[in-house]
Amino acid sequence: MQSISGIIYLILAACLLPYVFTMIAKKAGGFKAKDNQNPRDFLAQTTGVAKRANAVQQNSFESLPLFIAAILMAEYLVMPQSLIMTFGIGYLVFRVLYGICYLANWATLRSIMWLLSILCPITLLLLIIKII
């Protein structure tokens, strides 16, 4: 195994990305200190960009298990680091683009970015199956 630090940074970035959209949702929705009593209710009642940012945050958390599983399996089975990093970076880039498209309310492009992001860990898992 070469260096695992890049893999750790990929996982860390993917895990932190939903929180970026949480902050956007709160800021766009006018979150105040009193709203911290029940932030989920606050976010559920938002509209527009804030509501869409909250949806990005939720979807980002939903896709994390597949991404982390694929990355860790690839690392465990000693796949080439360049391959793991390529699919990992691709996932992150497409997730950011997905978020931007969601915020801009570009539904079709958003769906394409979602598909491309989810294909990264799926493809990595399929490549793992091939080498087993």
Side-chain angles (χ1 to χ4, degrees), residues 12-52:
L12 179 61
C15 288
L16 293 176
L17 188 59
Y19 297 109
V20 171
F21 292 104
T22 301
M23 290 186 284
I24 292 169
K26 287 180 176 181
K27 180 141 179 76
F31 189 83
K32 306 273 188 271
K34 68 176 178 63
D35 297 317
N36 204 37
Q37 293 295 322
N38 201 334
R40 289 183 185 202
D41 278 351
F42 169 81
L43 288 171
Q45 295 172 21
T46 59
T47 59
V49 172
K51 186 176 188 85
R52 292 192 300 274

Side-chain angles (χ1 to χ4, degrees), residues 57-124:
Q57 173 247 151
Q58 291 171 337
N59 187 270
S60 295
F61 278 123
E62 292 165 0
S63 74
L64 265 178
L66 177 63
F67 171 74
I68 293 171
I71 293 293
L72 292 179
M73 275 295 249
E75 187 64 28
Y76 176 75
L77 292 171
V78 195
M79 291 191 74
Q81 293 289 307
S82 60
L83 188 66
I84 300 170
M85 291 299 292
T86 298
F87 283 104
I89 291 168
Y91 170 84
L92 287 174
V93 167
F94 289 129
R95 290 306 302 178
V96 168
L97 292 173
Y98 164 81
I100 292 167
C101 291
Y102 213 134
L103 295 176
N105 207 17
W106 299 332
T108 303
L109 190 54
R110 177 194 81 214
S111 295
I112 293 167
M113 292 303 114
W114 176 86
L115 178 62
L116 292 172
S117 74
I118 212 73
L119 282 175
C120 289
I122 289 171
T123 303
L124 196 52

